[in-house]
Amino acid sequence: MALFIGVMLLTIAPMVVYAIQKPDIFFGRLAEVTRPEDAVTLWESVVLHARMFFIAGDPYVRYNIPARPYFTLPEGIILMLGVGVCLYRIARGRGDAAARTGYLLALLSPLMIVPSVISVSGLPPSHMRSLGMIPLIFVLLGVGVEWLTSRVRERMTASPDSLSVLERRQGGEVALILVLLIGGLSVGTLYFDWATRADVYYETDADLSAAARWLAAGADGDLTDTVIYLAARDKGHPTAMIEAIPPVRWIGTDTLFRAPPTMDGLYVFPRSAPPVEEWRAWLEPGRITDLPLAPDGRTAFEAFRLSGATMLPIQAPSETVRNPYMTLLGIDAPPIPSGEADWVTTFWQVDAVPPFADFTPLISLEDEAGEVFRGDAYMTETDRWLPGEVMVLRLRVSVPIGTPPARYALSIRWIGRASDQFVNTIGGGVSARVGTLLVARALAFPDPATLDIPVRCADCTVNEGVALLGWNPLPTTLRPGAGFVLTTVWHALRDQPQNPISLLFGTDDAPLLPHYAVDYRPNRWTRGEIMMVRARYQIPSTLQSGSYEIRLQGRDAVISLGSVSVEGIARRYDAPPVDGRSEVVFGNAIALYGYTLEHSADAFHVALVWRADAPIDRDYSVFVHRLDTEGNIIDQRDAQPANGATPTSLWLPGEYIIDNYTFSPDDRVIALRIGLYTPDDGQRLRVDMGGDFALIPLDSASP
């Protein structure tokens, strides 16, 4: 028992340690491998797993004859008989301690499917991935057979007829052999019928294996000056890697490359990872037809060979977007109905090889109040890109339910995932607007009861024809003059309902004026429509510290949304001491008064001192670049001042703000480049003396 449990603990220990050290990655991966839309309750999962023993099994053809249980019904009855025998022998204490321990371990073996049982958002039941890993389950079946045959032997021995004991035993053995032969032939026939099915061929990645063998055998001839692009649902798939294939570049079902102009591209798509339909017109002239066949008579995979000079159908973008490694050549963003999802296709020219193996785009759908949606793509081997390649990258955009119909900004940021390092666009800022996306009216309106709303409102009809379903939580604390975004969710009970709300603040019922993120007013709503209204509100800058209630008022009801605590700001109007003065002024409003640099064996600390020279109506982000002798960025920090604690919109004229940044020591750094930009479009603030940054040499006291 100690050995059994000890090995189990050693096996799970690395996963437990990793989950503790990096919970965001661990639980993020759990979310990726589960399917929330297929979620069942824990009790439903228990029932499904109990049934798969000998009633109804795994429906997934890759692992099983669909719905066939693990054991046949007679075997299942014997299995349950074995469970009863084990319980009886443990309870009666018969046999030595080792035997009782063995019976106990056999009884514990079904518990090894518990991880599958609790994965209620997975694909339960999947007994080939759970039961198949517990060979002790056959011991229970064997115990049942042993008890049953011993009872039959006893009856045969005690039976007073003309047959001898030996003859009875021989007859029983012959009958047992016949049963085993018939059962083996029956199960074998079922198995081989299943194993030769075309759908099983594709589900078990045999098509990818055939493609790998074809590549290992030399593909379609000379591969000199040819880039091989191999598609797979899982990039770096071991089914292909086990073959002695030439070097390949992995592409998924959302990425395509055109080879550099002086090279050819060989594109291989197994049937399990076919090319996107929009790509076929471009690929078709290079189709290779002499390929291995699958059981259904089709080629096991598709292959195309095209010159890197072959033109791609690209529509030039309305925005110029570049970073040090790539240039946006085009974007195709079809309209997406509210509550639906679709693909946005982008075209990028590779200008230089990124220093990251996981150079990842973050795509944002934005209104005037901020992000409506953020998504990314799984990227790998990006440090193997070739200058001159054109990458066709599809990014999935899911428009949240209730998003008002309108045209929204599309922005993209590129980040090295492992290093958590954003890359600036040419011209400033890490975020670049790449175009717009039209969100259309929803195709169908969902049942309000099914919506995931953080704070629900029961029976909240505030105006004729419209009901408040709920809202997002209010911020817990605010500062005088600060703004906040309030998201409310509404249900139109008729066409063109009345304007639903006004917002009251504090005990004196002072109204707060909204700045709506999207102009989609109730007179355009239709019956049944779900609408998510986002508005930014600004509280007075002269407000005293204290707790204030926020209420939503309609014609028929006043609803309390909660309270916020307003905290005063400690402001500094005397200049703090600095090691170096700057006096570079950004946008005629923000001065970099000075800086202090501190070196140690473990860290390089930068303290910037800003001064507000005029009222500021926007929240700017600061960038601090560390440069080498060639002017290359070694690393950087991007953040709002004081890590977001003192947004620039709250600064008052004459106020000084201390802004700290810490880096690792690096002897290559010779200067700092500092500036400000608007995070929504990456636009940098200009400097009064020209340019858009301040430069601080580390070997000089003056910038």
Side-chain angles (χ1 to χ4, degrees):
M1 182 68 77
L3 179 63
F4 182 84
I5 295 177
V7 170
M8 182 180 68
L9 292 176
L10 285 173
T11 303
I12 67 171
M15 191 182 302
V16 172
V17 171
Y18 188 84
I20 294 173
Q21 292 178 338
K22 300 182 179 180
D24 52 339
I25 298 176
F26 180 81
F27 290 105
R29 179 58 181 158
L30 281 182
E32 290 174 4
V33 301
T34 57
R35 302 181 181 185
E37 67 275 12
D38 297 331
V40 297
T41 66
L42 182 60
W43 174 246
E44 288 172 332
S45 184
V46 169
V47 172
L48 285 169
H49 282 78
R51 284 165 50 87
M52 73 184 180
F53 281 92
F54 56 87
I55 298 176
D58 191 342
Y60 195 14
V61 72
R62 176 171 185 167
Y63 299 122
N64 189 39
I65 298 172
R68 180 175 173 83
Y70 202 71
F71 297 109
T72 63
L73 182 59
E75 290 168 336
I77 294 172
I78 297 173
L79 176 73
M80 299 307 297
L81 182 61
V83 171
V85 171
C86 286
L87 289 171
Y88 176 78
R89 290 176 178 173
I90 292 172
R92 290 295 300 271
R94 292 184 177 181
D96 59 19
R100 292 198 301 275
T101 302
Y103 288 129
L104 178 61
L105 289 177
L107 284 175
L108 289 176
S109 62
L111 296 179
M112 293 183 69
I113 68 169
V114 167
S116 179
V117 170
I118 64 177
S119 297
V120 294
S121 296
L123 189 67
S126 184
H127 66 263
M128 289 299 289
R129 291 186 291 179
S130 53
L131 273 177
M133 294 186 288
I134 51 172
L136 281 177
I137 195 71
F138 294 101
V139 174
L140 291 174
L141 192 66
V143 171
V145 170
E146 178 267 334
W147 183 87
L148 192 61
T149 55
S150 66
R151 297 289 80 75
V152 172
R153 187 181 301 113
E154 290 174 2
R155 293 290 301 272
M156 292 174 65
T157 303
S159 178
D161 55 35
S162 58
L163 293 176
S164 67
V165 173
L166 179 60
E167 288 172 329
R168 293 191 185 98
R169 288 183 176 175
Q170 289 174 341
E173 290 168 357
V174 170
L176 180 60
I177 291 172
L178 288 174
V179 169
L180 290 175
L181 284 174
I182 294 171
L185 288 172
S186 175
V187 172
T189 300
L190 285 171
Y191 173 79
F192 285 108
D193 286 345
W194 167 80
T196 54
R197 289 171 54 159
D199 52 356
V200 175
Y201 179 88
Y202 293 119
E203 284 291 340
T204 54
D205 299 312
D207 53 343
L208 183 58
S209 180
R213 290 195 300 271
W214 180 73
L215 288 172
D220 68 333
D222 185 15
L223 297 179
T224 305
D225 294 329
T226 300
V227 186
I228 302 173
Y229 300 101
L230 179 57
R233 289 176 295 188
D234 301 301
K235 300 174 184 178
H237 203 295
T239 298
M241 300 295 287
I242 198 171
E243 300 287 348
I245 60 175
V248 300
R249 294 273 301 284
W250 290 95
I251 55 176
T253 55
D254 55 3
T255 309
L256 182 71
F257 285 87
R258 187 188 71 184
T262 59
M263 304 180 75
D264 286 351
L266 177 61
Y267 304 88
V268 181
F269 295 91
R271 296 290 180 180
S272 55
V276 178
E277 286 302 317
E278 289 80 0
W279 299 347
R280 288 189 177 276
W282 182 76
L283 290 167
E284 195 60 39
R287 178 178 289 278
I288 300 170
T289 56
D290 185 17
L291 298 173
L293 298 180
D296 58 1
R298 300 189 301 169
T299 57
F301 54 91
E302 297 178 272
F304 309 86
R305 185 163 190 158
L306 293 166
S307 165
T310 307
M311 296 297 294
L312 276 166
I314 303 176
Q315 182 177 355
S318 57
E319 309 285 343
T320 300
V321 178
R322 290 181 58 208
N323 63 43
Y325 312 111
M326 55 207 314
T327 300
L328 180 68
L329 299 180
I331 182 169
D332 180 15
I336 303 177
S338 180
E340 304 292 327
D342 205 346
W343 295 94
V344 170
T345 303
T346 57
F347 301 83
W348 300 86
Q349 177 176 291
V350 178
D351 300 322
V353 182
F356 317 101
D358 54 358
F359 196 35
T360 301
L362 305 180
I363 186 168
S364 301
L365 188 66
E366 301 169 354
D367 59 19
E368 292 189 21
E371 288 184 343
V372 174
F373 163 83
R374 176 187 290 189
D376 60 8
Y378 173 67
M379 307 292 285
T380 185
E381 296 185 343
T382 55
D383 54 350
R384 295 183 58 198
W385 288 354
L386 300 175
E389 282 182 317
V390 174
M391 177 177 62
V392 184
L393 177 63
R394 303 171 77 227
L395 297 162
R396 188 76 168 172
V397 174
S398 297
V399 180
I401 294 173
T403 301
R407 188 166 289 278
Y408 292 78
L410 273 175
S411 297
I412 289 182
R413 288 173 285 178
W414 286 88
I415 183 175
R417 275 292 197 192
S419 60
D420 198 28
Q421 181 175 336
F422 283 98
V423 171
N424 276 27
T425 60
I426 304 300
V430 297
S431 181
R433 180 168 172 170
V434 296
T436 61
L437 184 143
L438 177 63
V439 173
R441 188 190 296 273
L443 300 176
F445 305 136
D447 181 355
T450 64
L451 300 179
D452 182 17
I453 303 174
V455 182
R456 273 204 170 264
C457 187
D459 191 25
C460 293
T461 302
V462 297
N463 272 351
E464 182 181 353
V466 65
L468 175 67
L469 298 179
W471 59 90
N472 285 359
L474 296 170
T476 55
T477 59
L478 289 171
R479 293 183 174 181
F484 65 95
V485 175
L486 174 64
T487 301
T488 50
V489 185
W490 300 87
H491 184 208
L493 305 179
R494 64 175 177 83
D495 293 339
Q496 301 179 349
Q498 294 183 4
N499 194 347
I501 63 170
S502 60
L503 208 66
L504 306 179
F505 183 83
T507 55
D508 56 355
D509 288 343
L512 293 180
L513 298 179
H515 177 74
Y516 291 107
V518 173
D519 185 14
Y520 186 69
R521 303 189 183 187
N523 59 10
R524 297 167 61 188
W525 298 3
T526 61
R527 181 184 180 88
E529 192 165 12
I530 303 295
M531 196 51 52
M532 181 173 60
V533 177
R534 287 156 50 88
R536 178 175 289 277
Y537 296 87
Q538 193 90 12
I539 65 173
S541 58
T542 57
L543 204 64
Q544 298 296 315
S545 298
S547 179
Y548 293 84
E549 185 182 20
I550 295 181
R551 297 182 304 285
L552 185 147
Q553 177 176 276
R555 190 189 68 175
D556 301 325
V558 177
I559 299 168
S560 175
L561 303 184
S563 298
V564 297
S565 176
V566 176
E567 300 178 349
I569 301 176
R571 301 185 183 275
R572 180 168 186 167
Y573 291 95
D574 59 313
V578 293
D579 290 345
R581 290 289 303 277
S582 170
E583 292 297 351
V584 174
V585 180
F586 295 86
N588 297 317
I590 302 175
L592 179 60
Y593 171 78
Y595 54 88
T596 296
L597 309 177
E598 296 180 2
H599 301 261
S600 70
D602 301 323
F604 171 65
H605 183 73
V606 181
L608 304 176
V609 177
W610 303 97
R611 185 186 66 230
D613 287 351
I616 305 165
D617 61 357
R618 303 191 67 176
D619 288 330
Y620 294 98
S621 290
V622 178
F623 66 83
V624 180
H625 297 167
R626 295 206 298 172
L627 309 178
D628 63 13
T629 55
E630 302 297 325
N632 299 316
I633 299 175
I634 294 176
D635 56 5
Q636 69 185 73
R637 297 288 185 273
D638 287 77
Q640 288 194 0
N643 201 27
T646 57
T648 55
S649 61
L650 299 186
W651 296 1
L652 296 180
E655 180 183 1
Y656 290 87
I657 296 89
I658 300 176
D659 189 16
N660 294 300
Y661 299 88
T662 301
F663 299 85
S664 299
D666 195 320
D667 294 338
R668 297 173 297 168
V669 179
I670 65 146
L672 302 177
R673 184 166 60 201
I674 299 165
L676 298 114
Y677 65 92
T678 50
D680 54 348
D681 59 9
Q683 187 66 38
R684 292 186 182 182
L685 277 178
R686 302 290 296 177
V687 175
D688 55 353
M689 61 188 67
D692 54 18
F693 60 85
L695 192 67
I696 300 177
L698 299 189
D699 56 354
S700 172
S702 60

